[in-house]
Amino acid sequence: MLSRLSIRWRLALGSALLTLVILLGFAVVVGVLTTKRIEQDFDVHVSQGESELISLVQRHASFDARTGAFDLPAERLAAFASADHALVRVTGPDGTTLLFPDEDSADDSEPDFGYVRTNQTLEIAGYRIISRYVPLREGTYSVTALYGRRLSEVSGTQDRLRFLLGVGVLGGALLALCAGLLIARNAMRPVTRLTATAREVTRTRDPDRTVPVPHAEDEVAELAGTLNEMLAALAESRAETEAMLARQRQFVADASHELRTPLTSVLANLELLADALDGEHGEAAQSALRSSRRMRRLVADLLLLARADVGREARRAPTDLAQVVVEAAAELEPVAGDHVIEVDARPALVDGSRDDLHRLALNLMENALRHTPPGTHVSASVARVNGDVRLVVADDGPGIAPELRDRIFERFVRGKGDRGGSFGLGLAIVRAVTRSHGGSVTIDDAPGGGARFTVSLPAE
């Protein structure tokens, strides 16, 4: 559970726990010592009270032996008992007993003094009681003086002490927790700034940014410096990689462009040879012609992708996408075989390259023909939807496997059902042309089964 807490909370809880242990130990020591001192003071007060009672009796009590009358000013005894909140009993030689507070007003918790013997110190019913003989001035007679105080005075004081110590311990721990959180927050602030900068680098993918370096020469400053060195190395590596990729794209674009001229010458010569030669030589010329045509198409595909990679845009003009789709369907009709091609295209203008849009529509429909069994219906529709021109190519074939959908628009990715010997560049070209025209392409399941590709382009 602690491992799930943030470092800030762990530091604060550790500080609070350590403070709690220290304060708890301090409270135990203070509580024990103070409790003993309170008990000792209470014993001293009881002893002093008994001594004062004896002195009071000796000063003011008198006994007349002839009449057997014992006299002790009751008001003095009452004032003495009231001042100390004590229980006092004095029994004279004649058997007279004075009890303060008055027996009629005593509550049920006060002890029965009949069980208290003379010259004893004991605890009865929550009272600490001392009983002593007190000789009178005449010297022949003596009285019995009993002095008692509630033990609750001690326990009440001890309970208040324990409560105050407990509140102090808990309050100190809580204050330590709050102070620990504040200190930890201030201490973690540089780390928070490092984290925020790292997230910004992740979001923008810009390694040229730097993280702030604290002024203090500590571990956080060392970490910030290391991160800056790492970001600088990443920026340098990224620049080198981008330069290398740019050179490769430029090479592919230039090589593809330069290959078009010799390939055109080779195709022209092979067409003449195929028409002029018969027999085995003619078949060899036809085979070379087919391979050269595939090579020309591959070079054209690579040239288009390379042009998109280096940011070269073909000349654009207002183009009717519906007409482009109709022409692409007509071009595929002779090779459709048992497939059924259906076109529902309404006029819709877009600002684009007619050749690239033709390649886009042709690749989508050709992809459906190549990856579906004979008898499959392939439909293409063009319509304006909310300010966009939407091209939808769908089929009722087996569809596209889920594990292939995330990579279907990548280069050189081919499905298992590819029977046409494609290069795996058709859908990559579709995505490149769509992006170069400021649009998007998605794939999902057709309503009747199969795959459905949707291309959205800004309307003219």
Side-chain angles (χ1 to χ4, degrees), residues 26-254:
F26 176 78
V28 169
V29 174
V30 171
V32 171
L33 295 178
T34 308
T35 299
K36 290 183 178 179
R37 182 58 183 268
I38 292 173
E39 292 176 351
Q40 293 172 357
D41 291 345
F42 180 75
D43 293 339
V44 170
H45 290 160
V46 174
S47 299
Q48 289 178 350
E50 176 68 12
S51 299
E52 292 174 1
L53 176 60
I54 292 173
S55 176
L56 177 66
V57 171
Q58 287 178 338
R59 288 197 310 269
H60 300 286
S62 63
F63 180 73
D64 189 347
R66 293 175 300 173
T67 62
F70 171 70
D71 181 44
L72 177 63
E75 63 277 4
R76 291 183 178 275
L77 197 59
F80 174 77
S82 177
D84 284 353
H85 302 286
L87 285 176
V88 175
R89 187 183 76 171
V90 177
T91 302
D94 60 347
T96 303
T97 300
L98 299 177
L99 177 64
F100 296 93
D102 187 80
E103 287 183 298
D104 295 335
S105 64
D107 56 37
D108 296 337
S109 63
E110 294 171 355
D112 184 359
F113 290 114
Y115 294 98
V116 181
R117 297 180 181 180
T118 306
N119 294 329
Q120 281 187 331
T121 300
L122 67 163
E123 296 178 2
I124 298 178
Y127 281 84
R128 175 70 59 79
I129 296 173
I130 300 178
S131 177
R132 295 287 186 270
Y133 281 119
V134 181
L136 299 180
R137 290 191 302 271
E138 290 81 356
T140 307
Y141 305 97
S142 62
V143 297
T144 302
L146 183 145
Y147 181 87
R149 296 189 68 168
R150 292 177 182 271
L151 292 172
S152 59
E153 297 178 13
V154 178
S155 60
T157 304
Q158 292 174 340
D159 291 341
R160 288 191 295 272
L161 174 64
R162 295 189 187 98
F163 174 76
L164 292 176
L165 288 175
V167 171
V169 169
L170 295 179
L174 182 60
L175 289 176
L177 177 62
C178 296
L181 284 174
L182 181 61
I183 295 173
R185 185 183 67 178
N186 293 332
M188 295 297 293
R189 190 170 294 166
V191 179
T192 303
R193 289 197 293 266
L194 293 181
T195 304
T197 305
R199 286 176 178 169
E200 186 66 17
V201 171
T202 303
R203 186 183 66 83
T204 60
R205 296 179 179 272
D206 181 15
D208 292 327
R209 298 176 63 93
T210 58
V211 299
V213 180
H215 298 293
E217 295 182 359
D218 53 9
E219 291 79 1
V220 178
E222 183 179 358
L223 174 61
T226 304
L227 288 177
N228 283 332
E229 293 175 0
M230 181 190 69
L231 289 174
L234 288 176
E236 182 178 356
S237 175
R238 179 181 179 179
E240 293 177 356
T241 302
E242 289 180 349
M244 180 184 66
L245 290 176
R247 290 193 298 269
Q248 290 180 350
R249 295 190 190 103
Q250 187 65 40
F251 170 76
V252 173
D254 294 341

Side-chain angles (χ1 to χ4, degrees), residues 317-328 345-354 357-358 361 382-384 389 457 460:
T319 304
D320 185 2
L321 186 60
Q323 185 178 356
V324 172
V325 172
V326 171
E327 292 174 357
R346 302 176 184 178
L349 292 179
V350 296
D351 182 26
S353 168
R354 187 179 188 87
L357 293 175
H358 180 83
V382 177
R384 291 178 63 97
V389 176
L457 299 174
E460 172 64 18

Side-chain angles (χ1 to χ4, degrees), residues 282-349:
E283 292 178 359
Q286 290 289 347
S287 176
L289 180 61
R290 288 192 296 271
S291 298
S292 298
R293 286 172 178 170
R294 293 185 68 242
M295 184 180 296
R296 181 179 63 179
R297 183 165 183 176
L298 175 60
V299 169
D301 291 345
L302 290 174
L303 178 60
L304 191 152
L305 292 174
R307 194 169 60 227
D309 289 340
V310 297
R312 296 180 183 177
E313 294 185 358
R315 182 175 300 176
R316 296 185 181 182
T319 304
D320 185 2
L321 186 60
Q323 185 178 356
V324 172
V325 172
V326 171
E327 292 174 357
E331 183 176 340
L332 290 174
E333 186 66 29
V335 296
D338 294 332
H339 289 78
V340 179
I341 300 178
E342 300 175 353
V343 177
D344 179 15
R346 302 176 184 178
L349 292 179

